[in-house]
Amino acid sequence: MAIATGSQAPDFTLKSKNDEGLADVTLSANYGESASVLLFFPLAFTSVCEAELCGIRDSLADYEGLNAKVYGISVDSPFSQEAFAKANGLTFPLLSDFNKEVSTAYDVLFEDLIGFKGVSKRAAFVISKDGEVIYAESSDDPKQLPNFDAIKAALA
């Protein structure tokens, strides 16, 4: 079961890759400034993940209007995530949880997904400016997308 609402969000620093190179992204850097939306997804270059993240791309202004930064998180390498972002015109950071530490901390790691060990579940968390989990959703069905209306309502 994913970490519960009302709890302090596990802080992390993960790698993101873009044209400038590798960059560290730390969750707590947003504290006091903006909320954070964490979207865990199983694997880059899969149809459901592409649909989810392209949908976020197309509604990114909604999240910015709610003073929230959006991050996609998977166990893919930052290099494959960069290729995935470029192929789909994603303009928000994709963070590599290659070592599976953050997916484990948030309790959203499949032990086995169709023969793949240690893949992130499809999950969504909203973290307040104070670092509190104010929305949590995780699915054992990798085809089930998060409830984006509920995510936006948590940010309002």
Side-chain angles (χ1 to χ4, degrees), residues 60-76:
L60 198 56
D62 295 345
Y63 295 95
E64 291 168 350
L66 293 166
N67 193 28
K69 294 183 179 177
V70 177
Y71 303 96
I73 302 173
S74 74
V75 300
D76 296 293

Side-chain angles (χ1 to χ4, degrees), residues 46-73:
T46 58
S47 61
V48 179
C49 296
E50 185 174 325
E52 175 185 6
L53 298 180
C54 286
I56 292 296
R57 173 201 65 205
D58 296 344
S59 63
L60 198 56
D62 295 345
Y63 295 95
E64 291 168 350
L66 293 166
N67 193 28
K69 294 183 179 177
V70 177
Y71 303 96
I73 302 173

Side-chain angles (χ1 to χ4, degrees), residues 8 11 26-36 66-69 71 127-132:
Q8 188 67 22
D11 196 14
T26 301
L27 176 64
S28 60
N30 294 338
Y31 294 178
E33 295 181 17
S34 67
S36 302
L66 293 166
N67 193 28
K69 294 183 179 177
Y71 303 96
I127 313 302
S128 74
K129 290 181 190 182
D130 301 321
E132 179 185 344

Side-chain angles (χ1 to χ4, degrees), residues 47-137:
S47 61
V48 179
C49 296
E50 185 174 325
E52 175 185 6
L53 298 180
C54 286
I56 292 296
R57 173 201 65 205
D58 296 344
S59 63
L60 198 56
D62 295 345
Y63 295 95
E64 291 168 350
L66 293 166
N67 193 28
K69 294 183 179 177
V70 177
Y71 303 96
I73 302 173
S74 74
V75 300
D76 296 293
S77 79
F79 308 100
S80 62
Q81 287 179 341
E82 178 187 31
F84 181 58
K86 284 183 177 183
N88 291 287
L90 305 179
T91 57
F92 55 94
L94 299 184
L95 308 179
S96 175
D97 186 24
F98 193 79
N99 295 323
K100 303 173 177 123
E101 294 168 353
V102 176
S103 297
T104 299
Y106 281 76
D107 199 18
V108 293
L109 194 68
F110 279 114
E111 287 184 33
D112 187 322
L113 176 64
I114 60 169
F116 296 104
K117 309 268 188 250
V119 173
S120 298
K121 293 182 179 182
R122 192 166 316 280
F125 297 92
V126 176
I127 313 302
S128 74
K129 290 181 190 182
D130 301 321
E132 179 185 344
V133 178
I134 58 174
Y135 180 84
E137 175 185 0

